[in-house]
Amino acid sequence: MSTGIHRSLGEAATAVKTGLHNVSVSALAAAARTDVQAAFGYPWPIEHDDTIAVTAVRAAPQDGTVSSTRQRQQDIYVDVEIDSYRQTASDREVHDIAYGVLDIFDRAVRADPTLGGAALWCFSDDLVSDGATEDEETGEGRICAIRATYKARVMVRS
């Protein structure tokens, strides 16, 4: 496989998702963060209070015509979910932990935006977080949940 060039959309999508998962595992290892569970999909059982999960995948073709060689650029969008939970009354505490994990991950993606050859490039695209634990969900602690979407550009050709 040449960098970011795939024979099918399915091959491209799984390569990008796997590449992002591999980044999460290696970035956490490099940062000596053995207290964060990295998962391909949602983790079960949950082993740590902090998780990073590579989850949903979506794809969209780039505008333009398909060339005579039947190749087309596609954008692959992958959600990366980061959760941090602590038995605390401080939303700030879990916020800082979760965004610290996101920082480790995002810096690692930026260090190799091809995801080891899976993509032409890949960067963060979107981020959503509620920012605080809902009162009815606090129980004995607080949680910060972040969903960051990463956009990767690939080429699909026969």
Side-chain angles (χ1 to χ4, degrees):
M1 164 184 68
S2 297
T3 299
I5 300 173
H6 301 276
R7 294 177 306 227
S8 71
L9 184 56
E11 177 184 287
T14 196
V16 170
K17 182 173 181 176
T18 300
L20 285 168
H21 177 257
N22 292 344
V23 166
S24 70
V25 171
S26 61
L28 293 171
R33 290 297 307 266
T34 58
D35 59 334
V36 180
Q37 183 175 359
F40 189 93
Y42 292 105
W44 191 259
I46 296 173
E47 299 170 358
H48 298 290
D49 288 339
D50 305 317
T51 61
I52 181 168
V54 181
T55 60
V57 178
R58 296 168 303 287
Q62 283 295 295
D63 290 336
T65 59
V66 176
S67 72
S68 60
T69 60
R70 297 185 306 164
Q71 66 183 25
R72 188 168 200 183
Q73 289 188 357
Q74 297 271 340
D75 288 337
I76 309 287
Y77 298 88
V78 181
D79 291 340
V80 176
E81 309 239 356
I82 298 169
D83 296 318
S84 181
Y85 170 80
R86 294 292 184 281
Q87 290 185 342
T88 181
S90 171
D91 274 311
R92 177 67 185 253
E93 181 180 346
V94 293
H95 171 277
D96 290 350
I97 294 166
Y99 278 88
V101 172
L102 175 60
D103 184 61
I104 291 167
F105 179 78
D106 194 59
R107 287 175 186 257
V109 171
R110 290 182 170 280
D112 179 14
T114 69
L115 305 174
L120 299 170
W121 51 260
C122 180
F123 294 106
S124 56
D125 188 62
D126 189 26
L127 182 138
V128 177
S129 178
D130 288 340
T133 307
E134 297 289 334
D135 286 339
E136 61 271 7
E137 296 177 3
T138 57
E140 296 180 20
R142 301 282 188 217
I143 188 165
C144 179
I146 301 168
R147 185 180 71 235
T149 302
Y150 282 77
K151 176 181 179 179
R153 176 77 43 90
V154 299
M155 179 68 72
V156 176
R157 69 176 179 196
S158 299

